[in-house]
Structures are given as structure tokens and as C-alpha cells.
């Protein structure tokens, strides 16, 4: 699709455009349940318990004959899923750009992920390999589907609409995540009254997230439409990787932009790892039950919105860079607090969850807006594509470090504190970026505060 075609699509009659926008919101509504209920709350502790049931006397399982601590299986599976997603995303993106048929690809990725998630209902006993496989497929499918989903935004919204449209999509996702977590909490805490055991309640919560994902994906698939593009004669795989490398090569002409991107990729990997591994830490190291973990994630969901708005106000007063640096200092304190958190103390775990919620949304939202000032005019789409690809490309490292730290020490406290390196290094790299000079070097007007 050319920029001219995308612009024409975005300027089509308002009613049709808004109809597509409303459909687009619902994919966030559909898939965010996986991120909250499955990845953040249930699958980490449950897969770990299944792996422990399959472990030998020393606590190791042996996939392909490799000794792996049962407590590291979840972290390694998340890491492998991101590697798989990075391999598939350029192919899917190139096919979508070459053919203009994003909707069939979105449907394939969404329903593959939804089916794998629903299949977690059969995760029981010592079937940790089944659980790891389904997690890898579901997580990679989500990443690919989100890349395709995000690519619709320039086509369905005019430039001045995009911030609002994007924000409403996030709001739909937060809403569905919180709603289903409340239902999960009712089922989990009252499983006896529903006539199911605790493990069965967890499996129902896992599988229902897949059913929710698949059911609400029907809305965007009905309302979004594909656009015709002129064939360019290039192979999809080659053109996808060539475009990525060409964009990264072009970034070398803007070293300050590249410096910011490197800092972001490092500290954001730390953010994503804390979110994905917090439930395992809470259940395995602190001895907290699922009810406490679900309540903590609900607290994060609610406070993330307030935190994003509050940090946005701070950025208007102190600049985005200083506000982000402040949030990285808070993230470091959160990890230090987590290391010293006493076992069996849900109140202090809630305090940490509240702190995470207050910095989570803001640190990511401000990073994206700051990067937008560092992108050369006319290259927004390709730079943000590389931004997303590079983000996924590095976000396997945090779970790997967490898993290795536990593998080597057998302590989740050591594993959680090992993530401090991502925030400390990200802080140093970001502090060294002269953002005002970087904005000017990209050819953009320098805001009064940045």
C-alpha cells in the first residue's frame, strides 16, 4: 500500500471509517484477556506446578535430554515464543504489504493463538511439555497478530485521530482484562460451590481466555477490510527482511535516534519480564495464593490508567526524558522491594503491585511519544515498524536472564533482582541521549519541554 492510498483510505466518509475503528477496538478487547488472565496470572504458577510434578528428585526436568530446573520452564518458554515471533513477523508483514490481505493473516494468527490457549484446558498431571508448547504457540501468535492489527491504524484513522483511536483501543483492552479477571476470581475462589477442583478452575480460566479471544475476534474480522496494492514483484520473505535491514541501516544516519532506541529496548525488556514473571515469583517464592495474585493484577490494571495520565502531566512540567528516568528509578526500587519482600505478606505484595501500576503505563506511553519526536519526517511507518520488530527481537532476553538466574541459584529472589541490570543500564543509556539535539538532528521542531 502506498502512502497516498493509505491517506485516501483514512479520509474516506466518516461513518465507514468510524465503523472500522469500532471493529478495530474489539481486537484489543478480544486478545487482552490472554495477556492478563493467562500470561500474567495463571499460566506461570500452574505450568511450574505441572513441571514440578514431572521433575526428578533434584527438581529437574529433561526436555530433549537437557537438565532444566522445573521453576525455569515457564521463563524459557516465554523466551522461545518471542524468538519464534521474531522469525515469523517479517514474513507475515511482507505478505500483508505485498498482497494487501492482512485480514486472513490476522485471522490465522488470532485463531491459532486462541486454539492453543483453549488447549491449555488439557494441561494437567505431568504434561509440562504440552503446556510449554501451547504457551509458545499462543504467545508467538499473539505477537504476530498484534503486528498485523497495529498496521491497520494508518488506514482507518487520519493523523490527527490516531492518538485518540489508539488510546481507545488500549482502554478496550484494559476493560476486558479487568472484567474477565473478576469472573476468574469468582470462579477460582468459589470453585467448590461450582463443583470443580482448584486445578480444574485454573484450567477453565485458561481455556475460557482462548474462547473469549476467538469469539470477539469475529467483530474486527467482520468490520475491517483489506486494501488492494500494486504488486512489486518481490518475494515476501526477502522483501520483509530487506525492508527491516534497510530501515535499520538508515537509522545509522541518525545515531542519536538509534541510541534512544537501544536504551528503550533494554529497559522495556526489564518491564515486560517483571510483568510476565511476577505471578511465578509471588506464588513460588512468597507463597501467595491465586486469589491474591488475581487481586494484585486487577490493582495494576486500574492504576495503570491513572499512572499513565499522572506521568503525562509530569512530562508536561519536567519533560518526557526526566519523567521516564524517574520511572526507571522507581522500577529499580520495586525490584529491590521485591527482593526483600517477606513471604506470606499479601499487603506488601499489593503495595508493590500499586507501584508497578503507577509507572507501567506511563513509562511505555512516554517512551513511544518521545521516540516519535526522533523519527525523520516521512519515515514514520518504517521507523515504527523497526521499533516494534526490534522490541520483540530483544524481549526474549529478560525471561532468559530470569530463567538462567533461577537455574543457577535455585532462588527466585536472586532471579528477580537480576533484572535490575536492565533498568540500570537503560537509565544510563537514556541519560546520555541529548534528546533536544536528537530531535533537531531528525529534522523536527524541538518542543519547549522534552
Amino acid at each position: 500500500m502506498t502512502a497516498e492510498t493509505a491517506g485516501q483510505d483514512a479520509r474516506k466518509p466518516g461513518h465507514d471509517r468510524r465503523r472500522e475503528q469500532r471493529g478495530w477496538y474489539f481486537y484489543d478487547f478480544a486478545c487482552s484477556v490472554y495477556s492478563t488472565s493467562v500470561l500474567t496470572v495463571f499460566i506461570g504458577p500452574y505450568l511450574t506446578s505441572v513441571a514440578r510434578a514431572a521433575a526428578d528428585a533434584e527438581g529437574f526436568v529433561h526436555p530433549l535430554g537437557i537438565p532444566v530446573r522445573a521453576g525455569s520452564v515457564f521463563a524459557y518458554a516465554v523466551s522461545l515464543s518471542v524468538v519464534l515471533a521474531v522469525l515469523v513477523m517479517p514474513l507475515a508483514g511482507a505478505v500483508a504489504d505485498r498482497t494487501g490481505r492482512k485480514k486472513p493473516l490476522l485471522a490465522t494468527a488470532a485463531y491459532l493463538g486462541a486454539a492453543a490457549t483453549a488447549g491449555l484446558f488439557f494441561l494437567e498431571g505431568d504434561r509440562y511439555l504440552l503446556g510449554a508448547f501451547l504457551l509458545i504457540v499462543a504467545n508467538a501468535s499473539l505477537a504476530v497478530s498484534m503486528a498485523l492489527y497495529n498496521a491497520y491504524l494508518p488506514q482507518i484513522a487520519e493523523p490527527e485521530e490516531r492518538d485518540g483511536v489508539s488510546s481507545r483501543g488500549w482502554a478496550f483492552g484494559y476493560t476486558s482484562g479487568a472484567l474477565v479477571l473478576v469472573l476468574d476470581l469468582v470462579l477460582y475462589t468459589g470453585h467448590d460451590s461450582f463443583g470443580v477442583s482448584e486445578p480444574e478452575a485454573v484450567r477453565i480460566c485458561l481455556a475460557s481466555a482462548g474462547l473469549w479471544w476467538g469469539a470477539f475476534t469475529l467483530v474486527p474480522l467482520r468490520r475491517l477490510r483489506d486494501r488492494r496494492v500494486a504488486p512489486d514483484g518481490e518475494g515476501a520473505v526477502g522483501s520483509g527482511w530487506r525492508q527491516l535491514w534497510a530501515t535499520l541501516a538508515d537509522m545509522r544516519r541518525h545515531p542519536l535516534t538509534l541510541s534512544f532506541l537501544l536504551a528503550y529496548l533494554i529497559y522495556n525488556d526489564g518491564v515486560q519480564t517483571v510483568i510476565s514473571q511476577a505471578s511465578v515469583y509471588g506464588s513460588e517464592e512468597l507463597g501467595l495464593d491465586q486469589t491474591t495474585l488475581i487481586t494484585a493484577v486487577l490493582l495494576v490494571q486500574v492504576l495503570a490508567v491513572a499512572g499513565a495520565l499522572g506521568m503525562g502531566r509530569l512530562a508536561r512540567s519536567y519533560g518526557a526524558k526526566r519523567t521516564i528516568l524517574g520511572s526507571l528509578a522507581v522500577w529499580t526500587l520495586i525490584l529491590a522491594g521485591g527482593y526483600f519482600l517477606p513471604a506470606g505478606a499479601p499487603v506488601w505484595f499489593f503495595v508493590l503491585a500499586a507501584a508497578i501500576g503507577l509507572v507501567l503505563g506511563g513509562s511505555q506511553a512516554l517512551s513511544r511519544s518521545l521516540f516519535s519526536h526522533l523519527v525523520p519526517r516521512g519515515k514514520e511507518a518504517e521507523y515504527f515498524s523497526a521499533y516494534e520488530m526490534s522490541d520483540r527481537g530483544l524481549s526474549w532476553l529478560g525471561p532468559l536472564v530470569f530463567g538462567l538466574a533461577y537455574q543457577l541459584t535455585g532462588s527466585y529472589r536472586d532471579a528477580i533482582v537480576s533484572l535490575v541490570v536492565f533498568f540500570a543500564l537503560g537509565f544510563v543509556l537514556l541519560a546520555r541521549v541529548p534528546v533536544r539535539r536528537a530531535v533537531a538532528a531528525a529534522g523536527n521542531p524541538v518542543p519547549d519541554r522534552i
Side-chain angles (χ1 to χ4, degrees):
M1 165 168 286
T2 65
E4 180 181 357
T5 306
Q8 291 171 352
D9 278 323
R11 291 190 295 272
K12 64 186 177 173
H15 178 269
D16 290 344
R17 191 172 68 250
R18 285 191 295 274
R19 185 176 187 277
E20 276 199 278
Q21 289 171 4
R22 287 192 292 270
W24 186 80
Y25 301 149
F26 267 91
Y27 190 66
D28 239 322
F29 191 84
C31 69
S32 291
V33 171
Y34 169 84
S35 299
T36 51
S37 291
V38 177
L39 192 61
T40 306
V41 177
F42 286 109
I43 189 61
Y46 188 65
L47 178 58
T48 300
S49 69
V50 172
R52 291 195 191 284
D56 59 22
E58 285 75 36
F60 285 83
V61 291
H62 300 270
L64 302 177
I66 304 170
V68 174
R69 282 190 186 271
S72 295
V73 169
F74 171 63
Y76 288 157
V78 172
S79 187
L80 284 173
S81 73
V82 177
V83 174
L84 177 60
V86 168
L87 294 175
V88 175
M89 272 194 288
L91 173 61
V95 171
D97 287 342
R98 178 175 167 78
T99 64
R101 291 176 58 79
K102 285 192 290 292
K103 192 155 68 169
L105 294 169
L106 175 62
T108 300
Y111 282 106
L112 183 60
T117 304
L120 290 171
F121 180 79
F122 301 102
L123 176 59
E124 59 182 334
D126 59 359
R127 300 177 181 175
Y128 77 96
L129 285 176
L130 172 65
F133 172 75
L134 292 175
L135 173 60
I136 290 169
V137 172
N139 221 35
S141 297
L142 176 68
V144 173
S145 71
M146 287 302 294
L148 296 165
Y149 163 75
N150 290 334
Y152 272 102
L153 184 58
Q155 299 174 351
I156 64 173
E158 295 181 2
E160 63 272 16
E161 294 180 304
R162 289 176 196 167
D163 286 344
V165 170
S166 178
S167 298
R168 284 190 287 275
W170 278 106
F172 267 58
Y174 279 121
T175 300
S176 70
L179 172 62
V180 174
L181 271 180
V182 170
L183 298 176
D184 289 342
L185 184 61
V186 171
L187 174 62
Y188 183 82
T189 56
H191 59 83
D192 286 335
S193 61
F194 289 102
V196 297
S197 66
E198 183 176 309
E200 287 172 335
V202 172
R203 289 163 49 213
I204 291 171
C205 291
L206 292 170
S208 63
L211 297 177
W212 180 286
W213 185 357
F216 284 101
T217 295
L218 291 172
V219 179
L221 292 181
R222 284 180 61 86
R223 294 200 171 188
L224 293 172
R225 67 179 184 86
D226 286 327
R227 279 79 172 166
R228 291 183 179 180
V229 296
D232 59 10
E234 289 192 273
V237 177
S239 63
W241 283 104
R242 275 196 295 273
Q243 180 61 59
L244 175 63
W245 292 121
T247 302
L248 293 176
D250 185 73
M251 282 186 177
R252 295 176 62 186
R253 299 192 300 110
H254 302 279
L256 297 180
T257 300
L258 199 57
S259 296
F260 170 80
L261 183 60
L262 177 61
Y264 167 74
L265 296 180
I266 290 173
Y267 68 72
N268 186 59
D269 195 14
V271 171
Q272 298 303 322
T273 307
V274 171
I275 297 304
S276 66
Q277 304 301 321
S279 61
V280 174
Y281 183 74
S283 63
E284 296 297 318
E285 185 67 36
L286 304 180
L288 302 176
D289 57 30
Q290 285 284 9
T291 301
T292 300
L293 298 177
I294 296 170
T295 306
V297 173
L298 274 172
L299 186 61
V300 170
Q301 292 282 106
V302 173
L303 291 180
V305 178
L309 295 174
M311 286 182 64
R313 293 192 183 95
L314 287 174
R316 286 197 291 271
S317 299
Y318 300 102
K321 177 183 173 180
R322 288 182 179 178
T323 307
I324 295 169
L325 288 173
S327 76
L328 297 182
V330 174
W331 276 108
T332 303
L333 292 175
I334 288 171
L335 291 178
Y339 179 82
F340 292 107
L341 204 65
V347 172
W348 288 109
F349 191 73
F350 291 146
V351 171
L352 280 188
I356 288 174
L358 290 173
V359 293
L360 174 61
S363 57
Q364 293 179 312
L366 290 178
S367 297
R368 181 171 61 181
S369 63
L370 181 54
F371 182 72
S372 71
H373 290 287
L374 309 181
V375 176
R377 190 166 298 176
K379 296 189 174 183
E380 292 84 359
E382 62 179 276
Y383 268 57
F384 269 105
S385 294
Y387 178 86
E388 183 172 351
M389 272 293 299
S390 301
D391 186 359
R392 297 291 183 183
L394 193 65
S395 60
W396 56 271
L397 187 58
L400 179 62
V401 168
F402 185 93
L404 285 174
Y406 182 78
Q407 174 92 1
L408 295 173
T409 67
S411 168
Y412 280 108
R413 292 186 187 273
D414 291 337
I416 200 73
V417 83
S418 71
L419 301 178
V420 166
V421 67
F422 290 93
F423 297 102
L425 183 57
F427 183 100
V428 171
L429 292 175
L430 177 58
R432 292 169 58 87
V433 177
V435 291
R436 299 184 70 84
R437 187 148 55 92
V439 174
N444 295 321
V446 182
D448 292 336
R449 289 196 182 276
I450 193 169

